[in-house]
Amino acid sequence: MSRITLAFAAFVLAPMSISARPALAEPDSAPSAAPVQPDAAAPKSIAKELASGDGKTQATAYVIFEKSEMAGVDKEYEILRYLKLKPQSQALVTGESKTYDALTVIDPQTGETRTVWFDISNFFGKMF
């Protein structure tokens, strides 16, 4: 893994309070009722995560089951690639008992901007 990737992961995953980061921009239009429909069946590598939720809210966040930050972040981006979504920004959100990554993404097919939620409690703070 390159130094740039490690530096990015360390920066993205550095603990901060939610108030220390800019708020995520909400889309001007109402959220789409239908989830993004990928062309192919989910690969085995992300099937468990995709079955854990829909990623639309904290309560329905995709649960990432990896045990290290590197593998967990890779899994988040693998899911976004599968869903054909382009990441724009990322925020670390700490709840009462869980930690989340909230990724603002764009659907290139529709131009819609939305937030995809990942429950990262299984790996947050665990480098290896």
Side-chain angles (χ1 to χ4, degrees), residues 78-95:
E78 183 179 355
I79 290 168
L80 293 181
R81 283 190 302 274
Y82 170 71
L83 296 174
K84 299 179 182 176
L85 300 172
K86 302 292 181 194
Q88 298 300 302
S89 64
Q90 183 171 359
L92 179 66
V93 179
T94 52

Side-chain angles (χ1 to χ4, degrees), residues 65-76:
F65 295 99
E66 298 295 332
K67 297 299 180 192
S68 75
E69 286 186 353
M70 297 293 206
V73 171
D74 286 347
K75 187 74 65 156
E76 290 177 48

Side-chain angles (χ1 to χ4, degrees), residues 5-108:
T5 302
L6 289 173
F8 176 75
F11 172 76
V12 168
L13 297 172
M16 305 181 190
S17 70
I18 188 71
S19 61
R21 291 182 308 279
L24 294 175
E26 291 297 322
D28 292 332
S29 61
S32 171
V36 174
Q37 295 297 320
D39 293 335
K44 281 184 154 183
S45 61
I46 59 173
K48 187 174 178 182
E49 283 79 7
L50 291 173
S52 69
D54 64 14
K56 291 182 179 181
T57 67
Q58 284 183 8
T60 63
Y62 293 117
V63 177
I64 304 298
F65 295 99
E66 298 295 332
K67 297 299 180 192
S68 75
E69 286 186 353
M70 297 293 206
V73 171
D74 286 347
K75 187 74 65 156
E76 290 177 48
Y77 285 90
E78 183 179 355
I79 290 168
L80 293 181
R81 283 190 302 274
Y82 170 71
L83 296 174
K84 299 179 182 176
L85 300 172
K86 302 292 181 194
Q88 298 300 302
S89 64
Q90 183 171 359
L92 179 66
V93 179
T94 52
E96 288 189 28
S97 62
K98 295 183 178 182
T99 305
Y100 302 90
D101 269 344
L103 278 77
T104 301
V105 299
I106 293 178
D107 181 342

